[in-house]
Amino acid sequence: MNFTWEVPTRIHFGTHICEGALAAERNCLKGCKALLVYTGHTLRENDTLAKLQGLLQENGCTEVLTYGGHGANPEISEAEAAGKQILKHGVNLIVALGGGSAIDLAKGAAVAAASNISLRDHLVKGIPAPSAILPLIALPTTAGTGSELSKGAILSDRELKIKGGIRGKSLAPKIAIVDASFTWSMPEKLTMETGFDALAHAIESYLSRKANLHSEQLSLQAIRLIGENLPKLKRDLSDREAREKMSYASMLMGMNLYNVGNCLPHRMQYPIGAATGTSHAMGLAALYPVWIKEEYRACPDKVMNVFRYLLNRTPHSAQEAEELMANFLMELGLCVSLEELGVKEGEIAAMVEKISGDISVDPAGGEDGICSKLYIAAM
Ligand SMILES: [Fe+2]
């Protein structure tokens, strides 16, 4: 099988490696005026933000401004406000500290500062990010989104009730510092949710028609690591070896996001997030059992392999695949229906209309009416 593989981001990985990684990147930091984008209060309260500001300055940044976003589901208005700060202060380096929301917000800010059209136009019309945007250094504090390596920025437009991606190769961060110690303070729910997101990237990039020999190997490795380590963290959040392995699996799947991409659940989650304001992972979790059942019908051998790597089990029917996935989600505390997330049956048709992106890469994506069928089954 022939394939092309690209990872444009320079990666520093490990536990307690942030200081050394920033020192190694002195040449990139020297003389830069940086905007440090983060989300939530925790990073400010536990001094991580101040410490990073200090390290950036110690390693050559002349000034480090900060921009705090609200949290999950970053808004285009926030990204545009950060973009204005970039232009106003002559910022020439963006640093993102936080989960996928912070990194996506930083990417959105970079686009807003470089583009001559609005972020809404990028989002609604699917116009790619400009090819020349400011360099971004991403420091993920969760293990799951893969945004530190991906070429997408997932943003929401509350007014239009739209959530979607701005895409483009320029959106891949220049440098990713994946320090697992940043994830140690994640509470249980966030750990399970972001870990499940990484699993979703692994399963979807494995089943995708765009998968190749290399991406499949990475997917299977990530599925095994997550199957072993996410339940361990459910039992003991202080298991640091499990934390590091989850960070590693998540980072591997960032490579697959860049090179392969996702399938139906990710396309279908965005309208759920936009309609209900619920998290990315919970929308995925609501869809996963009913979706994997359809995937089993479309490509049983691959789905059997997913469960062999995840649970050491082989489902012998679509129904059994659905049950195994539902049980796994139950074990993680993520079992939920769309109705419980606040979706009304009457909203489904409008949600189907808002699905964007190529769904034909999904083995079951070609079936007529598949999206409304899955939404209804997930109620
Ligand atoms: Fe995701």
Side-chain angles (χ1 to χ4, degrees):
M1 182 190 270
N2 306 332
F3 65 85
T4 303
W5 195 255
E6 187 177 13
V7 182
T9 306
R10 185 158 61 247
I11 302 163
H12 300 268
F13 180 86
T15 298
H16 285 315
I17 49 98
C18 179
E19 247 179 273
L22 288 171
E25 296 293 356
R26 272 192 79 91
N27 282 345
C28 289
L29 302 174
K30 207 172 155 192
C32 284
K33 194 171 193 181
L35 180 68
L36 173 49
V37 177
Y38 67 100
T39 51
H41 305 291
T42 318
L43 296 166
R44 188 176 277 283
E45 284 160 11
N46 68 15
D47 276 347
T48 310
L49 194 71
K51 205 175 157 206
L52 180 58
Q53 257 180 303
L55 283 171
L56 288 165
Q57 278 172 322
E58 264 171 46
N59 287 293
C61 285
T62 53
E63 199 176 340
V64 183
L65 308 166
T66 59
Y67 183 88
H70 294 117
N73 297 321
E75 286 279 324
I76 53 170
S77 57
E78 292 178 83
E80 271 165 352
K84 278 187 188 141
Q85 285 228 18
I86 290 169
L87 296 175
K88 185 177 165 195
H89 299 285
V91 164
N92 55 5
L93 173 71
I94 307 175
V95 180
L97 175 72
S101 308
I103 300 171
D104 286 352
L105 177 56
K107 290 177 177 178
V111 175
S115 182
N116 49 17
I117 59 167
S118 69
L119 289 183
R120 178 174 284 171
D121 275 354
H122 277 286
L123 205 62
V124 175
K125 296 177 186 165
I127 299 169
S131 53
I133 63 172
L134 286 182
L136 171 65
I137 301 180
L139 296 95
T141 60
T142 63
T145 71
S147 184
E148 68 273 18
L149 299 185
S150 77
K151 55 186 171 190
I154 310 303
L155 296 168
S156 297
D157 183 335
R158 197 176 298 157
E159 256 177 71
L160 296 183
K161 280 200 164 187
I162 282 177
K163 180 180 172 184
I166 299 176
R167 291 170 211 286
K169 284 190 170 189
S170 59
L171 287 177
K174 185 173 181 193
I175 298 165
I177 300 177
V178 185
D179 187 333
S181 70
F182 285 144
T183 71
W184 288 357
S185 57
M186 260 199 298
E188 183 187 297
K189 191 164 165 53
L190 191 60
T191 303
M192 293 305 121
E193 288 195 9
T194 49
F196 181 69
D197 188 22
L199 178 64
H201 301 152
I203 297 177
E204 288 170 50
S205 62
Y206 180 65
L207 299 180
S208 169
R209 293 188 202 279
K210 285 171 77 182
N212 60 56
L213 187 59
H214 187 50
S215 70
E216 285 178 357
Q217 295 310 311
L218 296 190
S219 285
L220 291 174
Q221 197 178 343
I223 291 169
R224 177 160 283 160
L225 282 168
I226 297 165
E228 284 171 2
N229 291 288
L230 197 54
K232 270 190 196 168
L233 286 172
K234 175 75 180 168
R235 293 187 290 274
D236 177 11
L237 283 177
S238 69
D239 185 336
R240 291 175 179 179
E241 203 184 319
R243 288 281 192 199
E244 193 180 82
K245 285 182 175 159
M246 285 304 300
S247 286
Y248 179 65
S250 165
M251 183 206 73
L252 280 185
M253 289 307 96
M255 296 183 197
N256 276 13
L257 287 179
Y258 187 92
N259 286 281
V260 180
N262 287 311
C263 282
L264 266 179
H266 269 74
R267 303 275 86 77
M268 292 179 63
Q269 185 277 324
Y270 300 143
I272 301 170
T276 63
T278 53
S279 73
H280 178 56
M282 291 314 281
L284 292 173
L287 295 168
Y288 248 68
V290 294
W291 171 72
I292 205 76
K293 186 180 183 181
E294 292 304 319
E295 296 299 295
Y296 188 98
R297 290 180 178 137
C299 51
D301 291 344
K302 274 193 133 180
V303 174
M304 281 185 221
N305 230 8
V306 164
F307 284 102
R308 279 186 204 117
Y309 278 79
L310 183 66
L311 304 169
N312 254 327
R313 298 276 303 271
T314 306
H316 295 289
S317 67
Q319 182 70 33
E320 199 185 341
E322 180 182 12
E323 283 164 14
L324 286 176
M325 184 54 71
N327 290 342
F328 184 68
L329 286 164
M330 187 94 76
E331 191 188 336
L332 303 181
L334 301 176
C335 204
V336 73
S337 69
L338 283 185
E339 196 175 7
E340 286 165 332
L341 293 181
V343 174
K344 312 261 182 303
E345 199 133 358
E347 291 174 317
I348 288 178
M351 280 164 51
V352 171
E353 287 297 308
K354 284 182 178 158
I355 294 170
S356 62
D358 180 10
I359 64 167
S360 69
V361 299
D362 189 297
E367 189 187 319
D368 249 6
I370 182 71
C371 294
S372 52
K373 180 181 169 182
L374 288 173
Y375 278 141
I376 290 165
M379 289 295 285

